[in-house]
Amino acid sequence: MTRRLVLTNEAARHPLRRSLPPPVIASAKNDDQDVKLFFLSFAAFFTCFYSFIF
């Protein structure tokens, strides 16, 4: 059984959404960004906590 080439998004049910190109898949998230955010949050919390004590 051969299948025709489909240039539309088969998951879209509405005719207008079917005519749009398929959504772009996001690239893999960089884990380094999570580590930087953790250390930035830790430093901000430590600075606020330290400033309230002294």
Side-chain angles (χ1 to χ4, degrees), residues 15-36:
L16 177 65
R17 293 190 68 194
R18 198 177 299 142
S19 66
L20 296 173
V24 178
I25 298 172
S27 62
K29 189 176 181 183
N30 189 0
D31 290 336
D32 187 32
Q33 186 75 19
D34 293 337
V35 174
K36 289 178 183 177

Side-chain angles (χ1 to χ4, degrees), residues 7-50:
L7 298 176
T8 60
N9 187 0
E10 291 181 339
R13 304 215 190 277
H14 193 273
L16 177 65
R17 293 190 68 194
R18 198 177 299 142
S19 66
L20 296 173
V24 178
I25 298 172
S27 62
K29 189 176 181 183
N30 189 0
D31 290 336
D32 187 32
Q33 186 75 19
D34 293 337
V35 174
K36 289 178 183 177
L37 182 62
F38 171 75
F39 283 119
L40 179 66
S41 301
F42 181 79
F45 176 76
F46 182 77
T47 303
C48 290
F49 190 73
Y50 187 77

